[in-house]
Amino acid sequence: MSEEATAGADIGPLDIKRVMAALPHRYPMLLVDRVEELVPDQRIAAIKAVSMNEEFFQGHFPGRPIMPGVLQVEALAQAAGVLAVESLGLAGSGKLVYFMSIDGVKFRKPVEPGVLLRLEVEFIQKRTRVCKFAGRAMLNGEVATECEFTAMIADPPSA
């Protein structure tokens, strides 16, 4: 991640209440537990505490629990959602951040229960409604998962 932050521009840490104000996700799909650093219009560093109590570990895999790769990418996307919503001043607005594409995903290390998965995401491109991001999920300073993805900011579907 780039280290070009302007002094005093950082936001954080953000607790779970602030994360939940930015994202519509709730248990069991909320995959961001806290934000350690957020530099609006640039980057975010968030944490997912991976616990053995996660429902998916019951079947993925018995005897060798590993966090599914799609959920690692989802956690990165949720961190990107917090970054986008906070950068655009949309927290609490009800706006949703939808995946449009996921590119170049690489899974480098298995993510097992009992770890803190650090989610690092930065803007590659930002427009009013469409943003492109680069993300890395880190384990003890090593890349576990990396990808680029594009998302659209939109109103929730009408009931």
Side-chain angles (χ1 to χ4, degrees):
M1 297 285 143
S2 169
E3 294 300 323
E4 300 172 10
T6 56
D10 293 20
I11 300 173
L14 305 183
D15 65 11
I16 191 65
K17 290 178 186 175
R18 183 96 176 256
V19 170
M20 291 173 71
L23 296 175
H25 304 80
R26 297 297 180 260
Y27 178 83
M29 281 305 299
L30 181 60
L31 300 175
V32 175
D33 292 314
R34 76 173 180 266
V35 172
E36 293 188 328
E37 178 189 34
L38 189 153
V39 180
D41 302 317
Q42 291 184 32
R43 68 179 182 276
I44 188 170
I47 298 294
K48 165 61 180 151
V50 181
S51 165
M52 187 59 192
N53 295 326
E54 309 277 359
E55 291 181 348
F56 51 79
F57 284 134
Q58 293 179 39
H60 198 268
F61 299 99
R64 178 70 159 94
I66 297 173
M67 183 178 186
V70 295
L71 293 179
Q72 295 171 48
V73 173
E74 174 65 22
L76 287 165
Q78 288 182 23
V82 174
L83 175 60
V85 165
E86 290 288 337
S87 294
L88 298 169
L90 299 173
S93 70
K95 296 280 187 182
L96 299 177
V97 181
Y98 292 110
F99 264 136
M100 292 175 65
S101 69
I102 306 166
D103 299 306
V105 179
K106 293 189 173 53
F107 301 105
R108 306 272 187 208
K109 296 179 75 64
V111 177
E112 299 172 317
V115 300
L116 295 178
L117 189 63
R118 182 178 168 92
L119 309 167
E120 300 177 352
V121 179
E122 63 184 20
F123 278 113
I124 295 175
Q125 185 176 58
K126 182 172 68 92
R127 296 191 180 129
T128 307
R129 295 191 51 185
V130 176
C131 302
K132 187 169 183 175
F133 305 93
R136 299 184 307 183
M138 307 291 290
L139 289 174
N140 300 316
E142 295 184 40
V143 176
T145 304
E146 59 188 336
C147 63
E148 290 186 358
F149 49 95
T150 304
M152 176 177 60
I153 299 166
D155 293 319
S158 55

